[in-house]
Amino acid sequence: MLLLKGGRLLDPASGTDVPRDVLIDGERIAAVELPGKIGARNGELQEIDIAGLIVAPGFIDLHCHLREPGGENSETIETGTRAAASGGFTAVCPMPNTRPVHDNASVTRSILERAQTAHTRVWPIGAASLGSRGEELAEIAAMQKSGVVAVSDDGHPIATAKLMRQVMDYCRSLGMPVIDHCEDSSLAAGASMREGPASIRTGIRGMPAAAETIGVGRDIQMAELTGCRFHVAHLSARGSLEMVRVAKHKGLAVSCEVTPHHFTMIDEEVGYDTHRKMNPPLGSREDREALIEGLADGTVDAIATDHAPHEPATKEVEFDRAPFGVTGFETALGLALELVHAKKIGLARMVELFTTGPARVLGMQRKVAAGEPADLTVFSTEHRWTFRAAESASKSRNTPFDGREFRGGPMTTIVAGRVVYRR
């Protein structure tokens, strides 16, 4: 048994924010009591003193890329989940743009078999279309039976409104959400950053924010038509956020996520740094402020990393030739706490964005109570530390936050009652 002693329990599901001790027996929480009320028990008891720290439901990352199978030079399930655990995550949802594409149940089973020794839970997302080519439906029902929690063609948008309608009709009958990389490919083709004054100054071809908002608008209309649960991946534009806000006010089952790099950086900071090249690209200052407002007011449902590792050689090229994507597991909480310290969002709201928010998107619950799975994230709001890419648990180093100093971060990560990370 494991006793987390002297911590502050912050559980959005129950609205709890009080001092509590948490006892873990095996893979489940055995008791949550006032400090000092959990007495001696039969069997060996290990204690971890978490005085001055916060214990929360285990963090969930709705959007990441573990690259396995096919991209093991950049990341593996083992290294990716080790990085996720060191970032405070207890469950991660890898996207299907693997090689081969995760579009059938045999790939689902292979991923979950490899994930049996992972450092976190792995909840895979399957492709919406065969090969993510946007032509015909993938084996969605078979993948769901084998363990996928949602479908997406991430890396690409779901190609047409007709296909999106078919995917949503099918997934509604299965009770499963559809996640889309919302983009009008005709506007985004060949672009490497957001269109605006910064792209003009650098001479880098830019995609307008409308490339995203057009895709969001299409998909919300399809969600209204079909009644399917729809989730916007890595939302980055002010106009997209407003569409989601209106959809929610109409009562549609629409949700969205925002990444730490989009609520932290803007297009003016890109320059020619390939570690600041991602898709969707960094937006304007006005976009960033709108995203932060959405995080605070409840429009945004989750903070997701879009952890996208690339082996160094692929990023050490000209800007327009470099692949999109940055790593994100280990810096996500530190960047979110910057918003808390700046009083732009509340601490409880931040925890919700990492826990009950993403759980709701997947149709799950996340709470700290007796009988619940012992998936817990213990973090500090004050611990000072510096992120060093060279020391990352990930195989890749493509981060714009190398050398950044943080105030607060993950201290202990527990998955199924097992300590998988401890600072």
Side-chain angles (χ1 to χ4, degrees), residues 3 11-12 19 60 93 99 133-134 152 159 212 221 224 301 357 415:
L3 178 62
D11 183 5
I60 300 168
C93 301
R99 298 193 302 271
R133 292 187 295 269
S152 177
E212 178 180 286
Q221 290 184 69
E224 185 170 20
D301 298 87
V415 177

Side-chain angles (χ1 to χ4, degrees), residues 330-376:
E330 293 157 296
T331 53
L333 176 55
L335 292 168
L337 283 168
E338 290 181 0
L339 298 181
V340 174
H341 291 310
K343 301 190 183 307
K344 293 186 176 180
I345 64 172
L347 182 61
R349 173 65 181 144
M350 185 208 75
V351 172
E352 180 183 7
L353 288 160
F354 280 115
T355 59
T356 53
R360 280 194 300 269
V361 171
L362 298 176
M364 301 177 181
Q365 289 187 338
R366 207 65 161 171
K367 60 182 178 179
V368 181
E372 292 295 316
D375 292 0
L376 300 167

Side-chain angles (χ1 to χ4, degrees), residues 147-172:
V148 304
V149 294
V151 297
S152 177
D153 277 345
D154 187 67
H156 307 281
I158 293 175
T160 66
K162 179 180 179 181
L163 178 64
M164 178 58 93
R165 182 178 186 179
Q166 292 172 336
V167 172
M168 285 188 170
D169 275 334
Y170 199 59
C171 287
R172 182 199 62 218

Side-chain angles (χ1 to χ4, degrees), residues 202-214:
T202 57
I204 297 172
R205 184 170 180 178
M207 67 178 79
E212 178 180 286
T213 57
I214 288 170

